[in-house]
Amino acid sequence: MVPPGDIRNCLIALSDGEPILTRLLDYRFQESVLAGHSFGNILITALTRVTGSFDAAVRELNRILHVRGQVLPATGRKVSLIATHADGTKATGEVEISASRKAIASLEMRPRVQEPAEDVARAIENAEVLIFGPGSLFTSVIPGLLVAGIRRRVLENPGDKIYIANVMTQRGETNDLDLAAHLDALERHAGGAFITGVIAHDGSFPPEMLARYAKDGCSPVGGVELLRERGIRVVVDDLLDRDEETARHHPAKLARAIAENFLGTARRRIA
């Protein structure tokens, strides 16, 4: 079946259900044959068997968890990601792609998927703002654009398309890529320039965090000025969650940056 991890995380993040339920979904077993498996993934797997499809299972969980909005998979089919590296070699699957630690020239999906489900298509067509990221560039953000019907509808949507820049490069995927290179890869797989705005962290980090990431060959994603030269609207702010040991966006800071800089513009345009 489709790997359920990213979908589980989105469902948990947007759930308005009881806090204990979201904690339960994120719980990972430590013992026996279940060691390392999360209860949420097991629940999604069981629902897939009960309902007959991954798509139906996710839609049922939207209802069960009282999700604010909707979490919809780009496709319910089991597909594989295949990366072609700069040296011409290929890697298949998220784990192998990241483990290769080679520069990625292009990404493809097998088997090819032409159209998303009807509610996915409708959501993209009606969206006031389309937001991409943050997340693993090649194995989380770009793959949705490999579905032809999603790619076409994204390009046709007249609203703002915002890219949320990662705060750090990712080992095995984006080592040494600056912000412009991230954006180039995203737009190359979409079939053309389409991003109208970028939200990026201001580059400030605790020294110990920088040192820890440097040991893995990771560094802050920089290069904001190159995007401004392209005429792209770039919003820079302190977006780091300083209570976390890992380099992550602070949810409230990021939400505020999106709302204050882009949602108001979308509503005025629609009105």
mmCIF file of all heavy atoms in Angstrom, residues 61 82 86 197 206 254 265:
data_model
loop_
_atom_site.group_PDB
_atom_site.id
_atom_site.type_symbol
_atom_site.label_atom_id
_atom_site.label_comp_id
_atom_site.label_asym_id
_atom_site.label_seq_id
_atom_site.Cartn_x
_atom_site.Cartn_y
_atom_site.Cartn_z
ATOM 1 N N LEU A 61 -10.630 8.907 7.804
ATOM 2 C CA LEU A 61 -9.875 9.474 8.921
ATOM 3 C C LEU A 61 -10.075 10.977 9.027
ATOM 4 O O LEU A 61 -10.051 11.536 10.129
ATOM 5 C CB LEU A 61 -8.386 9.150 8.779
ATOM 6 C CG LEU A 61 -7.989 7.755 9.275
ATOM 7 C CD1 LEU A 61 -6.543 7.460 8.929
ATOM 8 C CD2 LEU A 61 -8.203 7.633 10.775
ATOM 9 N N ILE A 82 11.641 7.567 -8.806
ATOM 10 C CA ILE A 82 12.924 7.211 -9.393
ATOM 11 C C ILE A 82 13.702 8.494 -9.652
ATOM 12 O O ILE A 82 13.249 9.366 -10.398
ATOM 13 C CB ILE A 82 12.746 6.429 -10.703
ATOM 14 C CG1 ILE A 82 11.908 5.167 -10.465
ATOM 15 C CG2 ILE A 82 14.107 6.067 -11.307
ATOM 16 C CD1 ILE A 82 11.537 4.428 -11.733
ATOM 17 N N ALA A 86 23.032 13.340 -11.200
ATOM 18 C CA ALA A 86 23.825 14.127 -12.132
ATOM 19 C C ALA A 86 24.821 13.275 -12.904
ATOM 20 O O ALA A 86 25.190 13.607 -14.036
ATOM 21 C CB ALA A 86 24.550 15.246 -11.380
ATOM 22 N N GLY A 197 5.720 33.774 -4.864
ATOM 23 C CA GLY A 197 6.202 34.280 -3.587
ATOM 24 C C GLY A 197 6.977 33.210 -2.835
ATOM 25 O O GLY A 197 6.736 32.012 -3.009
ATOM 26 N N PRO A 206 20.913 29.209 16.584
ATOM 27 C CA PRO A 206 21.808 29.019 17.727
ATOM 28 C C PRO A 206 23.107 28.372 17.241
ATOM 29 O O PRO A 206 23.069 27.457 16.404
ATOM 30 C CB PRO A 206 21.026 28.067 18.637
ATOM 31 C CG PRO A 206 19.592 28.216 18.222
ATOM 32 C CD PRO A 206 19.634 28.497 16.756
ATOM 33 N N LEU A 254 5.153 30.720 11.201
ATOM 34 C CA LEU A 254 4.968 30.464 9.773
ATOM 35 C C LEU A 254 3.544 30.794 9.341
ATOM 36 O O LEU A 254 3.332 31.419 8.300
ATOM 37 C CB LEU A 254 5.303 29.009 9.456
ATOM 38 C CG LEU A 254 5.192 28.591 7.989
ATOM 39 C CD1 LEU A 254 6.031 29.483 7.089
ATOM 40 C CD2 LEU A 254 5.617 27.131 7.823
ATOM 41 N N THR A 265 -4.078 39.429 0.407
ATOM 42 C CA THR A 265 -4.020 39.767 -1.028
ATOM 43 C C THR A 265 -4.966 38.894 -1.828
ATOM 44 O O THR A 265 -5.673 39.362 -2.722
ATOM 45 C CB THR A 265 -2.573 39.575 -1.550
ATOM 46 O OG1 THR A 265 -1.698 40.391 -0.786
ATOM 47 C CG2 THR A 265 -2.473 39.948 -3.014
#
